[in-house]
Amino acid sequence: MTGAAVRAPSPADDIAEVLVDADAIRAKVAELGARIAADYGGKDPVLVSLLKGALPFLADLMRQVPIRLSLDFIEVSSYGSSTESSGVVRILKDLAQPIEGRRVLVVEDIIDTGFTLRYVMDHLQQQKPESVRLVALLDKPARRIVPIGIDYKGFEIPDRFVVGYGLDYAERYRNLPFIGVLKPEVYNRA
Ligand code: PRP
């Protein structure tokens, strides 16, 4: 190629405002990890993460929990490509290993209406684990319809549609290293 390099469009170009920057996420993840390690040391918990949004949070969090543990994954869908929760939860991929008698810690990126987590917590409880607790990086309490107890909570955020650090809009923006609000024209473009 010749001439001046043309910069490829970046997902960060579509962000109007950063709500939680990468340093704040790092500090909070370290704090949550230390609490979880103190509570679960010697208890061999299984971290059950919800694909796909919780992936970066899980990857960073587990490295801040230096105890014996294992991982498993569930994938559910409640949003499709819309920005609104439908309230209808579908399991796309279930656990790979039994959790009977295990201490389960659910790792989630965001609790919005609460429909997804209520469904998942009930689904896990039916399998007779020793305990089920929840760590969520983001909590949007203004949107809650179903009450959910969050045992380890990262940040409370206002009622704005956020993307980044795992969170998507139409499957994009998950790779941003911060949590931000999209420019309104991005929705209008769709
Ligand atoms: C998002 C998010 C939570 C859920 C929260 O998942 O990751 O699981 O919505 O919303 P609620 O509290 O209103 O139920 P999504 O269905 O978009 O899937 P994803 O993790 O693949 O992004």
Side-chain angles (χ1 to χ4, degrees):
M1 278 204 332
T2 57
V6 177
R7 189 176 72 83
S10 160
D13 298 340
D14 291 343
I15 299 299
E17 185 189 336
V18 174
L19 270 192
V20 188
D21 67 24
D23 284 344
I25 294 173
R26 205 173 297 119
K28 184 63 77 178
V29 169
E31 176 196 318
L32 292 171
R35 285 177 53 202
I36 291 165
D39 292 350
Y40 282 93
K43 296 181 176 166
D44 192 18
V46 52
L47 271 49
V48 171
S49 184
L50 269 64
L51 297 169
K52 303 183 265 266
L55 194 65
F57 179 43
L58 171 72
D60 288 344
L61 181 70
M62 69 179 182
R63 286 175 290 178
Q64 299 294 328
V65 183
I67 62 169
R68 181 180 159 90
L69 56 76
S70 56
L71 302 180
D72 210 337
F73 297 91
I74 291 184
E75 185 169 11
V76 298
S77 178
S78 57
Y79 275 31
S81 60
S82 159
T83 59
E84 290 293 312
S85 179
S86 61
V88 178
V89 179
R90 284 188 306 137
I91 292 200
L92 302 178
K93 183 222 166 293
D94 210 339
L95 295 173
Q97 298 292 330
I99 55 167
E100 186 171 349
R102 297 289 304 272
R103 290 181 172 86
V104 174
L105 182 61
V106 176
V107 179
E108 181 56 312
D109 51 356
I110 186 166
I111 315 295
D112 192 326
T113 63
F115 282 127
T116 305
L117 252 295
R118 181 73 278 142
Y119 184 89
V120 168
M121 296 302 249
D122 290 349
H123 176 70
L124 295 173
Q125 288 288 7
Q126 284 166 13
Q127 297 169 58
K128 311 236 179 316
E130 167 75 24
S131 62
V132 183
R133 294 167 91 183
L134 170 64
V135 51
L137 182 66
L138 302 176
D139 179 21
K140 213 191 261 185
R143 296 259 310 162
R144 194 75 87 256
I145 295 174
V146 185
I148 294 286
I150 304 175
D151 302 286
Y152 305 91
K153 188 192 316 195
F155 302 96
E156 280 195 9
I157 59 168
D159 184 12
R160 307 189 62 190
F161 187 78
V162 288
V163 297
Y165 199 68
L167 296 154
D168 74 306
Y169 171 62
E171 292 299 326
R172 307 297 180 187
Y173 307 101
R174 295 190 195 273
N175 55 331
L176 291 172
F178 55 80
I179 291 153
V181 179
L182 280 181
K183 292 175 181 169
E185 59 258 37
V186 177
Y187 304 113
N188 301 334
R189 216 188 280 159

